[in-house]
Amino acid sequence: MRKIAISLGDPAGISYECIVKSAEAFEPDKAYILYGEEVVLRYAKDRFNPSFEYQPIRDISQVKTPGVYLISLNRVRGVLGIKPSEAAGFVAVTYLGRMSADVLRGEIDAIVTLPISKYWAKKGGKFSFPGQTEFVAFFQRVQNFAMAFYSDTLKVVLQTIHIPLKEVPKQITKEAIVEKLKLIHSEWQRFFNITPKVGVLALNPHAGEEGEIGTEEVEVIKPAIEEAKSLGIDAEGPLVPDVAFIEDYRKNYDLLLAMYHDQGLIPFKMLAFDRGVNFTLGLPIPRTSPDHGTAFNIAWKGICNPRSTIEAIKLANKLAEKADKSQFLPKENPNAS
């Protein structure tokens, strides 16, 4: 029986409403462990989907059969899901950490992280990471990871993630691109059983115009692609970014490697915002997440679209079959009699 862990994120956002509207994603042969405040989840259930069922438990060791379970630490007395606050940020970080502890015990096959507010997480929960991606990678003891965005329409991987735009050229190195392409190659084979064809985007307009608008394409990106090809990786580029996302071009590739956050995320969200999934490459225990944020402006109004949460859970169901829990499972004592 596969176990999927779901941290419910910031209670002032739309996550609790989304989860109670996502029952269609729960498969009957799997166990789903939700990590969040019961008083808030019960409030969301009563308001938005009274038929949503879950079983409160104290510890994941109580999960013996498929179903939906909730681990609540009962940190709050009233419903926090009304406005953003330090208290809500504290709750979001607390459950992210509680879930990660169960991952480290070798209990989980895949995780889904619902959105947090990095501002309130830092204010209320002393969160010191750029985002949940970096947090999850740190607690899974992984340094080589990548942020990927997945949908039926388009798949994008980011070369750089949460850094200022002015810092991007400094991080675009031949070695870094080759490592990212190697990771993409191995992870697509691991999870999807294909050798992917990767379209590598340029950094500069018009792919640099042979060095007239920028030299990164000539000096860095093209040599990285050539080295990757010598390693058996199917990669092409540098592709002109302003046409690479047009359907007639992107259909030639299994995914695109974007050089910076907005280069990849603006077109992805335009094409797949309500069904896109963020998932992290390189993790022993795969992680997915909706491709949107907390959406405080529409929270608790009953109007959130749960489709991205549903797709994140569905992808986690699939990726869970490829979990590698070996580094987290207790080692046998060779001196034991």
Side-chain angles (χ1 to χ4, degrees):
M1 179 183 66
R2 300 292 182 180
K3 296 177 182 176
I4 314 296
I6 305 174
S7 62
L8 296 185
D10 193 309
I14 63 173
S15 296
Y16 283 75
E17 179 182 344
C18 284
I19 199 66
V20 301
K21 292 180 175 180
S22 299
E24 70 181 73
F26 299 145
E27 296 181 351
D29 63 340
K30 293 180 174 63
Y32 298 87
I33 302 93
L34 312 181
Y35 294 77
E37 282 294 296
E38 183 173 15
V39 65
V40 185
L41 183 62
R42 188 167 61 247
Y43 181 63
K45 164 186 160 71
D46 292 344
R47 285 192 61 184
F48 306 123
N49 185 11
S51 65
F52 182 79
E53 297 294 336
Y54 63 90
Q55 178 181 340
I57 57 174
R58 295 185 305 277
D59 187 85
I60 197 171
S61 63
Q62 296 175 259
V63 177
K64 305 295 184 184
T65 59
V68 181
Y69 300 86
L70 173 71
I71 292 178
S72 177
L73 301 177
N74 299 315
R75 297 291 187 182
V76 298
R77 294 181 179 178
V79 175
L80 287 175
I82 302 300
K83 63 180 182 179
S85 63
E86 290 187 14
F90 172 78
V91 166
V93 174
T94 296
Y95 286 107
L96 185 61
R98 179 66 179 80
M99 180 182 70
S100 297
D102 284 340
V103 170
L104 294 177
R105 295 187 186 102
E107 298 279 2
I108 302 297
D109 296 289
I111 64 175
V112 181
T113 59
L114 300 191
I116 68 171
S117 161
K118 288 183 277 292
Y119 174 80
W120 289 112
K122 290 177 180 179
K123 290 277 287 184
K126 309 304 180 185
F127 191 75
S128 60
F129 296 85
Q132 292 192 94
T133 297
E134 293 85 356
F135 178 96
V136 170
F138 176 83
F139 277 92
Q140 291 200 31
R141 307 165 188 167
V142 169
Q143 292 184 327
N144 185 23
F145 61 92
M147 182 181 283
F149 289 83
Y150 183 96
S151 73
D152 291 339
T153 304
L154 176 64
K155 298 161 185 69
V156 175
V157 177
L158 304 183
Q159 179 64 41
T160 60
I161 308 178
H162 299 123
I163 60 174
L165 193 57
K166 66 181 181 180
E167 299 295 326
V168 169
K170 302 174 188 177
Q171 301 296 324
I172 302 297
T173 66
K174 175 184 172 183
E175 294 76 18
I177 294 172
V178 171
E179 285 303 308
K180 200 76 71 175
L181 288 170
K182 288 165 63 177
L183 180 62
I184 291 168
H185 180 80
S186 63
E187 291 289 89
W188 243 253
Q189 289 182 327
R190 171 192 175 193
F191 289 122
F192 307 116
N193 298 315
I194 66 169
T195 298
K197 185 172 185 179
V198 185
V200 182
L201 300 187
L203 175 64
N204 297 297
H206 300 264
E209 291 276 15
E210 297 297 329
E212 292 298 316
I213 306 179
T215 60
E216 286 85 1
E217 287 74 20
V218 175
E219 297 177 355
V220 178
I221 301 175
K222 189 171 183 178
I225 294 170
E226 293 303 317
E227 182 173 331
K229 286 181 177 179
S230 73
L231 298 173
I233 296 170
D234 191 358
E236 288 186 3
L239 306 180
V240 176
D242 62 4
V243 298
F245 292 95
I246 297 172
E247 184 176 6
D248 284 345
Y249 290 91
R250 70 173 188 267
K251 71 182 181 181
N252 297 314
Y253 305 97
D254 293 298
L255 69 145
L256 298 174
L257 176 61
M259 290 297 106
Y260 57 93
H261 185 279
D262 285 7
Q263 184 186 55
L265 266 292
I266 290 174
F268 182 86
K269 291 189 177 184
M270 288 182 69
L271 292 170
F273 181 70
D274 63 343
R275 60 195 183 279
V277 179
N278 170 6
F279 84 101
T280 308
L281 304 182
L283 300 178
I285 308 304
R287 170 255 180 166
T288 69
S289 182
D291 73 343
H292 57 71
T294 52
F296 290 137
N297 59 313
I298 63 168
W300 298 101
K301 296 179 180 179
I303 59 174
C304 84
N305 181 349
R307 178 50 54 184
S308 187
T309 297
I310 291 169
E311 295 302 324
I313 297 170
K314 286 183 175 181
L315 184 58
N317 292 337
K318 181 176 181 178
L319 302 183
E321 303 300 322
K322 304 294 184 178
D324 177 12
K325 296 192 286 187
S326 58
Q327 69 170 286
F328 304 125
L329 295 173
K331 302 297 188 293
E332 293 186 6
N333 183 355
N335 298 319
S337 57

